[in-house]
Amino acid sequence: MAEMTDRVSVDLTNCDREPIHIPGQIQPHGVLLVLHAPDLNIIQVSNNTQELMGRPPEALLGTPLSDLLNEPQTQQIQQCLTEDFESVNPLNLSIACPDRAIEFDGIVHRWDGVVMLELEPRANSGSPNFFDFYYQVKEPITRIQKAPTLLDLCQVVVKEIRRITGFERVMVYQFDTEGAGTVIAEDTDQETPYLGLRYPPSDIPKQARQLYTLNWLRLIPDAYYQPVALIPDYNPLTDRPLDLSLAVLRSVSPLHLEYLHNMGVTASMSVSLMQDQKLWGLIACHHSSPKYMPYHIRTVCEFIGQVMSAELANKESSEDGEYKRQLKSLQTQVVETLSQSNYFLDGVEQLNTQLLHLVNATGAVVCSGDRRVYVGDTPTEAEIDILLDWIKSRLDQSIFETRSLPKQYPAAESFKAIASGVLALEISRIHHNYILWFRPEVLQTVNWGGNPNKPVEVLDDGGLRMSPRKSFQLWRETVQGCALPWKPCELEAVVELRSLIVGIVLRQAEDLAAMNYELKRSNEELDSFAYIASHDLKEPLRGIHNYANFLMEDYAETLTTDGVSKLETLVRLTQRMENLINSLLHFSRLGRTELMCQSVNLDQLVQQVIATLTMARPHIEVEFRIPRPLPNIGCDRAQTNELFANLISNAIKYNDKPEKWVEIGFLTREGTEHPTFYIRDNGIGIPQEHQQKIFQIFRRLHGRDEFGGGTGAGLTIVRKVVERHGGRIWIESILTQGTTFYFTLAAEAVI
Amino acid sequence: MTSNLAVSNRRMPPLLVVEDSNEDFEALQRLLARLPLTIPIQRCINGDQALACLYRTGAYEDHQLPRPGLIMLDLNLPGTDGREVLRRIKQEKMLKEIPIVIFTTSSNPQDIEDCYQYGVNSYIIKPINFAQLKRDVQVIVDYWFVVTTLPSDLED
């Protein structure tokens, strides 16, 4: 393991940090002149001016450019100082040297505070005209545009570039999301094909990639060249090494040269392929002997690269055309189903396998709050909970995707067979709405162009140095813990789906809020209805009662005993009805009065309740058990008093044992600060099938006069008190053995 | 006994009953009639009528009725209800000395609280129990017409 770590650090030191943009040297096939703007005096030159233009560098330094170039050429450069150099490049320059005039291709650009002029001697006289260029590009462009698929396009390009340049091998590399490159097209006359080989991301370090995006073309005519130094060493204006990022002649990293040597390549040229401002790939050209490409050929290649780059998006978007249409129609169905259901998860349950088809997954989990819906093959609930937490911090624009979960999340090793690939979508953080899709592990054989793990050399001083790999022999690796990658069109479909679902979820939340409001209002109306109705019922009831009494008083003599007894029954019934109305009134008032929450000493409260109850029933012997003093809690004193009074009096009433007891206590549970209270008795118990009914108003389980009677509103009032405090109440009961009522008086925290 | 007799010979100020229920009024009348005191009873069936009666306006303009010695007032009345009648009487300098007993079905704590805030003299919930009703009526009359001494101007 320690060795591994070292290797990583060497990798970083040697490659990713090498300052390849300021090598302080150039390749020898041209001359670099560094000019001070705006007077265009030469302030730095490459140390090969003598060889290429017959003038020693010292003679050039400090002189104006106009000494070298004629007036129109100098003016041309001068004019574009404030404008675009692209419009003048390449400059067709003729420089008067001591013995003759030499033709150069000049490329001028501005960077790092100076103007750089690169001059490459033109091999044959006479510059190619526009029509030469046109004929060279016309055919390749037509073929590029006609290519039906991306691979055909690449194949056309490698053929055309090889035809134009004459390189021994021309390839198209495509980079994947991890930065590894794969040869997807090749045209060569060499024996060993490189087609299908894969190169690790470290073969092209990060800063090299950056330069590839700045400079679309890179030429190394001879990998065995002697670099040419700049005179003076540093940019005299900044006193730092000159930034050669945009310089065509920039000297190559020794590591890269070694890499080329190992590969048997002497000349190389690469053209960047860009898509969405990102490096998509490269057209790479190799030659086993030195090979120089004149500027106009390079321009043709660069132009082809640009046209190909533009075509990439077209070709990629037309790939999977049928699949995309299917996704689109599936997406429509999904949205339709979801929007027709009242709750997001209900809709998801109906979707079932459609949810999988949407991104070609084999498993999916939809999370909404604490609820989960599982479709297909998924990890277990516990595994998903932890995974989801891990993913939440890694979401990028509500999306997380990987094809190799175990690499980033080692816990996934145990379920990689079903979930090596994960695509997660956050729909709402507030409502905890997430969709996770899974793809199984697919064992893949990757053909590497040599062992991708770079060898480490131990240096004489004991230090470590990573050398570029030496072998480019086919090296096969079986890749584990990887699923098929999520396609861009699948990700797009999911992103689009998200915005549609968000709309649906929002609407459903609004509907729910409106329903809640309605419900609250109708509840209030019902409360007020019950109050008024029961109130108004009392008046006729009183009339019936009084008139029955009038009858008995006024006509007692004329009535038979039977008649009097019937009137007595009438009076008794009015009294029972009054009791019911009073209970109803009381119950409805309970919902209408404000809760007056304060800190209440429940221990005292219960003692008082017991005292009152035993006073009312002095003949009943009950043992009250209170295992530990009840706590102080915040609640409405009067209502809580009633709650305990009702439950304790029930516990006393519904008991036929010779030795009755009632236990009043509380439990504290982990994760919640609110105690759960209980009132337990050894009474008659409640049959399982009736346990849900006991809380319904006026719902009685026993005869009217059994167990001391009652209106049947007590437990309804109890539940109302509990619910008004935000708590809940439930029971456990065994018939003939006893009942325990549990309740809380505060909302439990949502976990 | 003697005092009772003495009282019975006295001319009693009338009792004003504000009650919309005929049945309740009949019960009340029946029980009052059995009492040894002879008390003139004036009935109004709603709040507006009660106020007209007290202010001697409208139909009561020409009535020469003495001012009532007690008002038994129901709360839930059609039109101007008992709460408003109570409030108006207790705000009126000439009337607020007349004792008012609320005699109502409402056991709402809010009603009870409000009535005492307005200055009611007593609040009694109508019972549904004939014996209790009998007892309540007797106590009310005894208390307000026998036990209590009212300002003299009420009795003239």
Side-chain angles (χ1 to χ4, degrees):
Chain A
M1 200 60 215
E3 194 193 301
M4 276 289 279
T5 318
D6 282 344
R7 201 183 284 175
V8 170
S9 69
V10 166
D11 188 4
L12 288 172
T13 324
N14 267 359
C15 286
D16 275 359
R17 290 192 200 150
E18 190 189 357
I20 59 173
H21 61 299
I22 45 167
Q25 296 172 324
I26 62 164
Q27 298 184 59
H29 61 275
V31 170
L32 173 66
L33 301 178
V34 181
L35 309 168
H36 178 261
D39 55 27
L40 299 188
N41 279 342
I42 299 169
I43 53 171
Q44 202 177 7
V45 291
S46 57
N47 191 14
N48 59 347
T49 50
Q50 180 67 49
E51 291 89 328
L52 292 188
M53 53 174 65
R55 298 194 191 195
E58 296 78 12
L60 291 170
L61 281 172
T63 64
L65 186 65
S66 50
D67 283 4
L68 268 184
L69 302 180
N70 63 27
E71 187 61 22
Q73 291 172 344
T74 321
Q75 267 180 4
Q76 222 182 344
I77 296 173
Q78 195 83 43
Q79 266 168 11
C80 61
L81 277 182
T82 52
E83 292 163 35
D84 188 8
F85 287 102
E86 290 279 324
S87 56
V88 294
N89 283 330
L91 295 155
N92 195 356
L93 301 177
S94 173
I95 291 176
C97 298
D99 47 351
R100 60 193 169 103
I102 303 177
E103 299 289 318
F104 285 97
D105 284 320
I107 309 157
V108 62
H109 72 275
R110 192 173 188 158
W111 191 253
D112 201 18
V114 296
V115 175
M116 293 183 216
L117 177 61
E118 295 175 89
L119 301 169
E120 293 178 44
R122 193 176 307 140
N124 48 355
S125 58
S127 64
N129 63 28
F130 170 75
F131 290 103
D132 294 331
F133 179 81
Y134 176 74
Y135 288 126
Q136 266 177 316
V137 298
K138 185 173 181 277
E139 184 75 15
I141 303 292
T142 312
R143 288 191 184 177
I144 282 173
Q145 282 166 343
K146 278 186 182 163
T149 69
L150 185 69
L151 282 181
D152 289 331
L153 166 70
C154 295
Q155 204 50 54
V156 166
V157 166
V158 291
K159 254 200 162 63
E160 291 297 322
I161 296 278
R162 183 155 170 257
R163 187 178 59 77
I164 294 165
T165 60
F167 275 104
E168 289 165 352
R169 190 192 298 275
V170 178
M171 301 170 283
V172 170
Y173 281 104
Q174 186 190 357
F175 298 120
D176 63 17
T177 48
E178 282 117 45
T182 305
V183 180
I184 59 169
E186 180 182 37
D187 192 54
T188 185
D189 59 3
Q190 303 290 295
E191 260 180 39
T192 328
Y194 286 179
L195 186 67
L197 292 187
R198 209 168 146 83
Y199 297 88
S202 57
D203 271 17
I204 303 174
K206 210 164 37 183
Q207 75 281 34
R209 264 165 224 274
Q210 169 64 18
L211 289 177
Y212 276 126
T213 64
L214 284 176
N215 267 339
W216 282 46
L217 190 134
R218 180 77 168 136
L219 176 69
I220 305 167
D222 183 354
Y224 291 91
Y225 72 90
Q226 284 300 314
V228 179
L230 298 181
I231 298 178
D233 295 345
Y234 282 11
N235 176 351
L237 294 180
T238 61
D239 206 27
R240 277 187 285 111
L242 184 65
D243 184 342
L244 291 173
S245 288
L246 295 186
V248 179
L249 291 172
R250 170 168 46 84
S251 195
V252 183
S253 151
L255 274 172
H256 184 58
L257 291 175
E258 202 176 331
Y259 180 91
L260 293 176
H261 297 165
N262 293 344
M263 221 177 185
V265 173
T266 301
S268 94
M269 185 177 83
S270 60
V271 179
S272 306
L273 296 172
M274 306 288 292
Q275 196 185 0
D276 298 332
Q277 277 99 49
K278 278 189 221 127
L279 190 63
W280 179 91
L282 290 174
I283 303 170
C285 310
H286 290 169
H287 209 73
S288 57
S289 56
K291 190 171 181 62
Y292 177 73
M293 277 297 117
Y295 189 88
H296 71 275
I297 302 281
R298 274 143 57 192
T299 308
V300 168
C301 294
E302 190 174 333
F303 184 72
I304 290 175
Q306 283 173 345
V307 172
M308 181 178 171
S309 292
E311 279 294 308
L312 286 174
N314 280 340
K315 291 289 183 289
E316 279 200 338
S317 74
S318 66
E319 302 258 304
D320 300 323
E322 184 51 33
Y323 181 53
K324 281 178 194 163
R325 270 188 292 281
Q326 280 175 17
L327 285 188
K328 196 80 200 163
S329 104
L330 203 56
Q331 196 182 39
T332 314
Q333 290 172 34
V334 166
V335 168
E336 218 160 85
T337 310
L338 287 182
S339 60
Q340 276 166 7
S341 59
N342 288 332
Y343 298 102
F344 171 58
L345 274 189
D346 295 348
V348 168
E349 269 166 350
Q350 284 177 32
L351 287 174
N352 209 329
T353 49
Q354 277 183 326
L355 196 63
L356 300 182
H357 298 329
L358 197 63
V359 291
N360 194 19
T362 46
V365 179
V366 183
C367 310
S368 178
D370 290 341
R371 280 182 64 200
R372 305 269 187 275
V373 172
Y374 298 84
V375 184
D377 296 332
T378 67
T380 67
E381 188 175 355
E383 285 165 343
I384 282 170
D385 284 346
I386 305 170
L387 174 64
L388 187 58
D389 279 343
W390 181 83
I391 287 176
K392 277 179 191 170
S393 58
R394 285 164 180 81
L395 289 164
D396 177 21
Q397 315 236 327
S398 302
I399 289 254
F400 169 84
E401 59 104 1
T402 178
R403 56 175 300 205
S404 50
L405 185 64
K407 264 190 214 160
Q408 307 169 46
Y409 179 73
E413 193 63 33
S414 62
F415 52 80
K416 65 178 182 184
I418 46 176
S420 279
V422 173
L423 171 58
L425 182 68
E426 178 179 76
I427 293 158
S428 159
R429 187 173 284 262
I430 301 164
H431 297 102
H432 296 282
N433 283 340
Y434 295 87
I435 306 181
L436 274 63
W437 285 276
F438 302 106
R439 274 185 187 172
E441 176 182 45
V442 178
L443 289 180
Q444 282 173 304
T445 306
V446 173
N447 296 324
W448 292 100
N451 186 339
N453 305 311
K454 287 192 180 183
V456 177
E457 281 175 15
V458 180
L459 300 177
D460 295 341
D461 62 1
L464 294 171
R465 172 186 182 272
M466 173 125 67
S467 70
R469 54 212 167 78
K470 295 190 169 65
S471 166
F472 291 84
Q473 288 296 304
L474 176 67
W475 195 87
R476 283 217 156 96
E477 184 192 21
T478 304
V479 177
Q480 297 188 322
C482 278
L484 292 177
W486 304 97
K487 291 187 176 187
C489 61
E490 290 163 343
L491 295 179
E492 268 168 40
V494 160
V495 169
E496 218 168 290
L497 184 69
R498 178 180 184 272
S499 61
L500 295 170
I501 294 179
V502 164
I504 294 171
V505 169
L506 274 184
R507 184 181 54 73
Q508 287 173 349
E510 274 170 19
D511 287 354
L512 210 60
M515 265 161 63
N516 268 335
Y517 174 77
E518 265 309 301
L519 206 61
K520 199 167 166 252
R521 214 173 56 104
S522 70
N523 248 338
E524 279 166 8
E525 275 174 4
L526 202 63
D527 265 351
S528 112
F529 168 79
Y531 184 75
I532 291 163
S534 53
H535 182 271
D536 287 357
L537 279 176
K538 282 188 144 189
E539 190 188 301
L541 183 65
R542 201 163 50 236
I544 295 166
H545 178 90
N546 288 344
Y547 275 78
N549 277 297
F550 296 169
L551 277 176
M552 285 195 286
E553 281 180 359
D554 297 350
Y555 302 99
E557 294 85 36
T558 48
L559 283 173
T560 60
T561 334
D562 187 41
V564 172
S565 143
K566 280 179 178 144
L567 281 175
E568 278 167 358
T569 305
L570 183 60
V571 167
R572 205 169 52 246
L573 286 174
T574 57
Q575 272 160 353
R576 185 179 299 153
M577 186 153 170
E578 197 213 358
N579 283 339
L580 288 173
I581 291 174
N582 280 343
S583 298
L584 190 63
L585 256 177
H586 182 75
F587 175 70
S588 73
R589 192 176 297 141
L590 206 59
R592 287 153 57 80
T593 50
E594 290 281 315
L595 273 193
M596 305 256 292
C597 277
Q598 50 180 314
S599 176
V600 174
N601 182 330
L602 285 186
D603 211 44
Q604 278 176 11
L605 184 136
V606 166
Q607 296 294 353
Q608 278 164 14
V609 165
I610 290 171
T612 314
L613 286 175
T614 43
M615 245 187 290
R617 297 180 180 78
H619 55 285
I620 296 181
E621 288 208 356
V622 185
E623 182 198 344
F624 291 99
R625 301 175 177 173
I626 301 178
R628 53 176 171 155
L630 298 173
N632 281 20
I633 64 159
C635 61
D636 182 294
R637 177 189 289 277
Q639 293 192 13
T640 308
N641 188 77
E642 188 160 359
L643 163 71
F644 275 97
N646 277 326
L647 287 177
I648 295 172
S649 93
N650 271 359
I652 299 169
K653 256 204 264 182
Y654 299 100
N655 197 324
D656 52 3
K657 304 284 185 317
E659 289 179 4
K660 310 178 200 328
W661 57 259
V662 179
E663 181 177 317
I664 302 136
F666 67 101
L667 315 163
T668 39
R669 281 188 305 139
E670 199 132 332
T672 166
E673 55 188 304
H674 303 295
T676 299
F677 299 97
Y678 68 88
I679 290 167
R680 181 172 295 144
D681 60 54
N682 64 337
I684 57 171
I686 301 165
Q688 184 70 36
E689 66 268 29
H690 294 326
Q691 288 184 2
Q692 284 314 305
K693 297 177 192 159
I694 56 166
F695 292 110
Q696 294 169 14
I697 193 160
F698 301 144
R699 183 85 194 205
R700 301 174 48 84
L701 297 184
H702 304 284
R704 221 170 287 287
D705 300 316
E706 281 178 90
F707 299 105
T711 57
L715 284 179
T716 314
I717 288 169
V718 160
R719 189 177 63 178
K720 186 104 179 176
V721 170
V722 166
E723 283 173 358
R724 289 208 73 198
H725 281 83
R728 59 188 192 99
I729 182 164
W730 66 101
I731 62 170
E732 280 172 11
S733 183
I734 299 168
L735 203 59
T736 74
Q737 293 189 20
T739 304
T740 307
F741 280 85
Y742 294 94
F743 60 92
T744 56
L745 280 174
E748 286 167 61
V750 180
I751 302 157
Chain B
M1 243 7 238
T2 44
S3 92
N4 255 1
L5 239 144
V7 169
S8 69
N9 291 334
R10 233 169 64 193
R11 237 186 74 213
M12 288 287 151
L15 164 68
L16 175 62
V17 179
V18 189
E19 172 62 78
D20 66 319
S21 159
N22 289 335
E23 293 76 22
D24 278 0
F25 181 68
E26 193 181 331
L28 190 64
Q29 223 177 4
R30 182 184 179 101
L31 296 174
L32 286 169
R34 295 180 188 176
L35 298 176
L37 294 177
T38 314
I39 302 168
I41 296 172
Q42 172 76 31
R43 179 194 177 193
C44 293
I45 57 161
N46 58 45
D48 293 318
Q49 212 178 46
L51 290 172
C53 174
L54 289 168
Y55 287 106
R56 291 176 181 155
T57 57
Y60 294 90
E61 206 166 0
D62 300 326
H63 281 239
Q64 289 305 311
L65 270 176
R67 286 217 286 173
L70 177 71
I71 302 171
M72 285 179 81
L73 180 62
D74 192 5
L75 275 188
N76 297 316
L77 295 169
T80 310
D81 85 344
R83 298 163 190 82
E84 177 65 12
V85 174
L86 170 68
R87 204 175 58 81
R88 297 265 287 272
I89 295 173
K90 290 301 180 187
Q91 277 174 357
E92 180 66 50
K93 191 169 178 291
M94 298 297 289
L95 298 175
K96 68 178 177 191
E97 293 170 345
I98 305 172
I100 300 179
V101 173
I102 297 291
F103 199 55
T104 179
T105 312
S106 173
S107 56
N108 188 344
Q110 192 61 53
D111 280 340
I112 300 170
E113 168 75 19
D114 288 349
C115 287
Y116 282 104
Q117 283 296 330
Y118 292 149
V120 81
N121 300 78
S122 181
Y123 190 108
I124 294 168
I125 298 165
K126 290 178 186 171
I128 299 191
N129 182 311
F130 198 58
Q132 200 186 326
L133 180 66
K134 245 192 262 185
R135 200 184 62 228
D136 287 354
V137 170
Q138 181 159 7
V139 169
I140 292 168
V141 170
D142 266 356
Y143 184 78
W144 288 108
F145 288 89
V146 180
V147 179
T148 308
T149 304
L150 296 171
S152 55
D153 58 330
L154 286 185
E155 295 179 14
D156 62 21

